[in-house]
Each structure stands twice: as C-alpha cells, then as structure tokens.
Amino acid sequence: MSDMIYTDALKLKKLIREAEALSDEAMLACSKLKQAMLKARQNPEVPVDTGQRAILRLTQAEQQAMSMSTSLLRVHDELSKVARVHAGLDGDIPTDIPTVATLESATEEIVETT
C-alpha cells in the first residue's frame, strides 16, 4: 500500500472516531438535560405539565442523535470495507462492526431473529 493511501486511511480512521465520539457526547448532553428538566419539574410549586412540550422536543432530538450515531456506524462500516479493498491488511486499518449495530431500530433486529 502506498504511503498516501496509508496516510489517508489513518486520517479517516481518526476523523470517523471523532465524529462518533461527538455523537455520543450529544446523546449524553441530551440525557443530562432531560434529567435536569424532569428534576426541576418535580418541585411541588411547579405544575406537573410544565415543560412537557420541551421534554417532547428534547426526546425527538435524542432520537435524531441516535439516528445520527447509527448512520455514523454505517459510514464507519463502509470505510472499513473500502480499507480492506484499497489498504489490504496492512496497518490494521479495518474495523469490524456487527450488523446489529447498524440497524435503524430495535424492531428490525426482533423481526430478523423471529
């Protein structure tokens, strides 16, 4: 494998992992925000329905973040396939990603296993 392909492969490997880490950080931030919102709403002086629309919208954002994470796993998987073809086995570039990790939803897994 040429030095240029190897350098490109290492750069892509680093960048996809950074993107995946940022996706995880976004999901963690949403989770922390939701927890704080729910805790604030438990104050006896606050009506029980306070912030319901905000919580609903945050839940939608969490679902979108999960979808982004799944899409990034698919990108990672495709890049690993490209690495196998163009980089061979040199440099330990490819990453094996289980098919179940790239499913769009848990229901796909359930349907496939039954």
Side-chain angles (χ1 to χ4, degrees):
M1 148 176 54
S2 75
D3 287 341
M4 181 87 157
I5 290 175
Y6 184 72
T7 301
D8 288 343
L10 288 177
K11 183 176 182 176
L12 290 169
K13 180 179 180 178
K14 176 184 178 285
L15 291 172
I16 190 65
R17 290 195 173 156
E18 284 178 9
E20 290 168 339
L22 286 172
S23 174
D24 287 346
E25 287 296 321
M27 287 189 290
L28 284 170
C30 285
S31 177
K32 289 177 185 176
L33 176 58
K34 185 188 275 183
Q35 184 178 20
M37 290 166 65
L38 291 169
K39 185 164 176 54
R41 187 164 85 165
Q42 288 178 332
N43 183 325
E45 297 175 20
V46 175
V48 71
D49 64 336
T50 301
Q52 188 68 20
R53 289 173 55 118
I55 292 169
L56 177 62
R57 296 202 188 287
L58 180 58
T59 299
Q60 291 169 343
E62 287 176 312
Q63 290 170 343
Q64 292 169 347
M66 189 65 218
S67 180
M68 181 178 73
S69 177
T70 300
S71 293
L72 285 171
L73 280 173
R74 288 180 177 149
V75 170
H76 195 147
D77 187 46
E78 290 300 320
L79 287 173
S80 289
K81 290 174 186 173
V82 170
R84 285 183 192 94
V85 171
H86 295 282
L89 298 176
D90 295 347
D92 191 33
I93 300 301
T95 303
D96 292 320
I97 297 175
T99 304
V100 70
T102 59
L103 293 176
E104 191 62 35
S105 68
T107 56
E108 288 180 41
E109 180 183 0
I110 293 167
V111 170
E112 289 179 8
T113 58
T114 56

Short mmCIF file of all heavy atoms in Angstrom, two decimals, residues 8-40:
data_model
loop_
_atom_site.label_atom_id
_atom_site.label_comp_id
_atom_site.label_asym_id
_atom_site.label_seq_id
_atom_site.Cartn_x
_atom_site.Cartn_y
_atom_site.Cartn_z
N ASP A 8 -4.00 8.64 4.28
CA ASP A 8 -5.42 8.96 4.16
C ASP A 8 -6.26 8.05 5.06
O ASP A 8 -7.20 8.50 5.71
CB ASP A 8 -5.89 8.81 2.72
CG ASP A 8 -5.37 9.92 1.82
OD1 ASP A 8 -4.93 10.96 2.35
OD2 ASP A 8 -5.40 9.73 0.59
N ALA A 9 -5.93 6.77 5.09
CA ALA A 9 -6.67 5.81 5.91
C ALA A 9 -6.57 6.15 7.40
O ALA A 9 -7.57 6.11 8.12
CB ALA A 9 -6.16 4.39 5.66
N LEU A 10 -5.39 6.51 7.84
CA LEU A 10 -5.22 6.89 9.25
C LEU A 10 -6.00 8.16 9.59
O LEU A 10 -6.62 8.25 10.66
CB LEU A 10 -3.74 7.09 9.57
CG LEU A 10 -2.89 5.82 9.65
CD1 LEU A 10 -1.43 6.17 9.92
CD2 LEU A 10 -3.41 4.88 10.72
N LYS A 11 -6.00 9.12 8.66
CA LYS A 11 -6.74 10.36 8.89
C LYS A 11 -8.24 10.08 8.97
O LYS A 11 -8.93 10.57 9.86
CB LYS A 11 -6.45 11.36 7.77
CG LYS A 11 -7.12 12.70 7.97
CD LYS A 11 -6.73 13.68 6.90
CE LYS A 11 -7.38 15.03 7.16
NZ LYS A 11 -6.96 16.04 6.20
N LEU A 12 -8.75 9.27 8.04
CA LEU A 12 -10.16 8.92 8.05
C LEU A 12 -10.55 8.16 9.32
O LEU A 12 -11.61 8.39 9.91
CB LEU A 12 -10.53 8.10 6.81
CG LEU A 12 -10.51 8.88 5.49
CD1 LEU A 12 -10.62 7.92 4.32
CD2 LEU A 12 -11.60 9.92 5.46
N LYS A 13 -9.67 7.25 9.74
CA LYS A 13 -9.92 6.49 10.96
C LYS A 13 -10.05 7.42 12.16
O LYS A 13 -10.97 7.30 12.97
CB LYS A 13 -8.78 5.49 11.18
CG LYS A 13 -8.91 4.63 12.40
CD LYS A 13 -7.73 3.67 12.50
CE LYS A 13 -7.81 2.79 13.71
NZ LYS A 13 -6.70 1.84 13.78
N LYS A 14 -9.16 8.39 12.24
CA LYS A 14 -9.19 9.35 13.34
C LYS A 14 -10.46 10.21 13.29
O LYS A 14 -11.14 10.41 14.30
CB LYS A 14 -7.95 10.25 13.27
CG LYS A 14 -7.90 11.36 14.30
CD LYS A 14 -6.67 12.25 14.07
CE LYS A 14 -6.60 13.40 15.02
NZ LYS A 14 -7.54 14.47 14.75
N LEU A 15 -10.79 10.69 12.11
CA LEU A 15 -11.94 11.58 11.96
C LEU A 15 -13.28 10.88 12.21
O LEU A 15 -14.18 11.47 12.81
CB LEU A 15 -11.93 12.24 10.58
CG LEU A 15 -10.80 13.25 10.36
CD1 LEU A 15 -10.75 13.70 8.91
CD2 LEU A 15 -10.94 14.44 11.31
N ILE A 16 -13.42 9.64 11.76
CA ILE A 16 -14.69 8.94 12.00
C ILE A 16 -14.86 8.66 13.49
O ILE A 16 -15.95 8.79 14.03
CB ILE A 16 -14.83 7.64 11.15
CG1 ILE A 16 -16.26 7.09 11.24
CG2 ILE A 16 -13.86 6.57 11.58
CD1 ILE A 16 -17.32 7.95 10.66
N ARG A 17 -13.77 8.33 14.15
CA ARG A 17 -13.87 8.10 15.60
C ARG A 17 -14.19 9.38 16.34
O ARG A 17 -14.93 9.38 17.33
CB ARG A 17 -12.59 7.46 16.11
CG ARG A 17 -12.48 6.02 15.61
CD ARG A 17 -11.47 5.22 16.32
NE ARG A 17 -11.56 3.82 15.89
CZ ARG A 17 -10.57 2.98 15.96
NH1 ARG A 17 -9.40 3.36 16.45
NH2 ARG A 17 -10.71 1.74 15.55
N GLU A 18 -13.66 10.52 15.87
CA GLU A 18 -14.01 11.81 16.49
C GLU A 18 -15.49 12.10 16.30
O GLU A 18 -16.17 12.57 17.22
CB GLU A 18 -13.18 12.93 15.87
CG GLU A 18 -11.75 12.98 16.34
CD GLU A 18 -10.95 14.09 15.66
OE1 GLU A 18 -11.54 14.93 14.94
OE2 GLU A 18 -9.72 14.11 15.83
N ALA A 19 -16.01 11.86 15.08
CA ALA A 19 -17.42 12.10 14.80
C ALA A 19 -18.30 11.20 15.68
O ALA A 19 -19.32 11.65 16.22
CB ALA A 19 -17.72 11.86 13.33
N GLU A 20 -17.91 9.94 15.83
CA GLU A 20 -18.68 9.02 16.68
C GLU A 20 -18.65 9.47 18.14
O GLU A 20 -19.68 9.41 18.83
CB GLU A 20 -18.12 7.60 16.56
CG GLU A 20 -18.40 6.97 15.21
CD GLU A 20 -17.62 5.69 14.95
OE1 GLU A 20 -16.57 5.45 15.59
OE2 GLU A 20 -18.07 4.93 14.08
N ALA A 21 -17.51 9.95 18.59
CA ALA A 21 -17.40 10.43 19.97
C ALA A 21 -18.27 11.67 20.19
O ALA A 21 -18.94 11.79 21.23
CB ALA A 21 -15.94 10.74 20.32
N LEU A 22 -18.30 12.57 19.22
CA LEU A 22 -19.14 13.76 19.35
C LEU A 22 -20.62 13.38 19.36
O LEU A 22 -21.42 13.99 20.08
CB LEU A 22 -18.85 14.74 18.21
CG LEU A 22 -17.53 15.50 18.33
CD1 LEU A 22 -17.25 16.28 17.05
CD2 LEU A 22 -17.54 16.42 19.54
N SER A 23 -20.97 12.39 18.58
CA SER A 23 -22.35 11.90 18.57
C SER A 23 -22.72 11.37 19.96
O SER A 23 -23.79 11.66 20.48
CB SER A 23 -22.51 10.81 17.52
OG SER A 23 -23.77 10.22 17.58
N ASP A 24 -21.83 10.60 20.55
CA ASP A 24 -22.07 10.08 21.90
C ASP A 24 -22.17 11.22 22.91
O ASP A 24 -23.03 11.19 23.81
CB ASP A 24 -20.95 9.12 22.31
CG ASP A 24 -21.01 7.79 21.60
OD1 ASP A 24 -22.05 7.48 20.98
OD2 ASP A 24 -20.01 7.05 21.67
N GLU A 25 -21.32 12.24 22.77
CA GLU A 25 -21.36 13.38 23.68
C GLU A 25 -22.70 14.12 23.56
O GLU A 25 -23.26 14.56 24.56
CB GLU A 25 -20.20 14.34 23.40
CG GLU A 25 -18.85 13.83 23.86
CD GLU A 25 -18.76 13.65 25.36
OE1 GLU A 25 -19.31 14.49 26.12
OE2 GLU A 25 -18.16 12.66 25.80
N ALA A 26 -23.21 14.24 22.33
CA ALA A 26 -24.51 14.89 22.14
C ALA A 26 -25.61 14.11 22.85
O ALA A 26 -26.49 14.70 23.50
CB ALA A 26 -24.82 15.01 20.64
N MET A 27 -25.57 12.78 22.74
CA MET A 27 -26.58 11.97 23.42
C MET A 27 -26.46 12.09 24.93
O MET A 27 -27.48 12.17 25.64
CB MET A 27 -26.49 10.51 22.97
CG MET A 27 -27.00 10.30 21.56
SD MET A 27 -27.14 8.57 21.07
CE MET A 27 -25.42 8.10 20.92
N LEU A 28 -25.24 12.13 25.44
CA LEU A 28 -25.04 12.31 26.88
C LEU A 28 -25.55 13.67 27.35
O LEU A 28 -26.20 13.78 28.40
CB LEU A 28 -23.56 12.16 27.24
CG LEU A 28 -23.01 10.74 27.26
CD1 LEU A 28 -21.49 10.76 27.39
CD2 LEU A 28 -23.63 9.96 28.41
N ALA A 29 -25.28 14.71 26.57
CA ALA A 29 -25.73 16.05 26.94
C ALA A 29 -27.26 16.11 26.96
O ALA A 29 -27.84 16.71 27.88
CB ALA A 29 -25.17 17.08 25.95
N CYS A 30 -27.91 15.49 25.98
CA CYS A 30 -29.37 15.46 25.96
C CYS A 30 -29.91 14.72 27.17
O CYS A 30 -30.90 15.14 27.78
CB CYS A 30 -29.87 14.80 24.67
SG CYS A 30 -29.73 15.84 23.20
N SER A 31 -29.27 13.64 27.52
CA SER A 31 -29.70 12.85 28.66
C SER A 31 -29.59 13.65 29.96
O SER A 31 -30.50 13.65 30.79
CB SER A 31 -28.85 11.58 28.75
OG SER A 31 -29.19 10.82 29.88
N LYS A 32 -28.48 14.35 30.12
CA LYS A 32 -28.29 15.18 31.32
C LYS A 32 -29.31 16.31 31.37
O LYS A 32 -29.86 16.63 32.43
CB LYS A 32 -26.88 15.76 31.34
CG LYS A 32 -25.80 14.75 31.62
CD LYS A 32 -24.43 15.40 31.54
CE LYS A 32 -23.32 14.39 31.69
NZ LYS A 32 -21.99 15.02 31.53
N LEU A 33 -29.57 16.91 30.21
CA LEU A 33 -30.56 17.99 30.15
C LEU A 33 -31.94 17.48 30.51
O LEU A 33 -32.66 18.10 31.30
CB LEU A 33 -30.57 18.62 28.74
CG LEU A 33 -31.61 19.71 28.49
CD1 LEU A 33 -31.46 20.86 29.49
CD2 LEU A 33 -31.51 20.19 27.05
N LYS A 34 -32.31 16.33 29.98
CA LYS A 34 -33.63 15.77 30.29
C LYS A 34 -33.74 15.46 31.78
O LYS A 34 -34.77 15.74 32.40
CB LYS A 34 -33.90 14.51 29.48
CG LYS A 34 -35.33 13.99 29.70
CD LYS A 34 -35.55 12.64 29.07
CE LYS A 34 -35.92 12.78 27.63
NZ LYS A 34 -36.23 11.49 26.98
N GLN A 35 -32.70 14.91 32.34
CA GLN A 35 -32.71 14.59 33.77
C GLN A 35 -32.91 15.87 34.59
O GLN A 35 -33.71 15.90 35.53
CB GLN A 35 -31.42 13.89 34.15
CG GLN A 35 -31.37 13.44 35.58
CD GLN A 35 -30.08 12.69 35.91
OE1 GLN A 35 -29.08 12.81 35.22
NE2 GLN A 35 -30.12 11.93 36.98
N ALA A 36 -32.21 16.94 34.23
CA ALA A 36 -32.33 18.19 34.97
C ALA A 36 -33.72 18.79 34.80
O ALA A 36 -34.29 19.33 35.76
CB ALA A 36 -31.27 19.18 34.49
N MET A 37 -34.28 18.68 33.60
CA MET A 37 -35.62 19.21 33.35
C MET A 37 -36.66 18.47 34.19
O MET A 37 -37.54 19.08 34.80
CB MET A 37 -35.95 19.10 31.86
CG MET A 37 -35.16 20.07 30.99
SD MET A 37 -35.24 19.70 29.22
CE MET A 37 -36.96 19.99 28.87
N LEU A 38 -36.55 17.15 34.22
CA LEU A 38 -37.50 16.36 35.00
C LEU A 38 -37.36 16.62 36.49
O LEU A 38 -38.35 16.71 37.22
CB LEU A 38 -37.34 14.88 34.68
CG LEU A 38 -37.76 14.47 33.27
CD1 LEU A 38 -37.32 13.04 32.97
CD2 LEU A 38 -39.26 14.63 33.09
N LYS A 39 -36.12 16.76 36.94
CA LYS A 39 -35.89 17.04 38.36
C LYS A 39 -36.48 18.41 38.74
O LYS A 39 -37.14 18.54 39.77
CB LYS A 39 -34.40 17.00 38.68
CG LYS A 39 -34.10 17.16 40.16
CD LYS A 39 -32.68 16.74 40.45
CE LYS A 39 -32.29 16.95 41.88
NZ LYS A 39 -33.14 16.35 42.86
N ALA A 40 -36.29 19.41 37.89
CA ALA A 40 -36.83 20.75 38.17
C ALA A 40 -38.36 20.72 38.20
O ALA A 40 -38.99 21.43 38.99
CB ALA A 40 -36.34 21.74 37.10
#
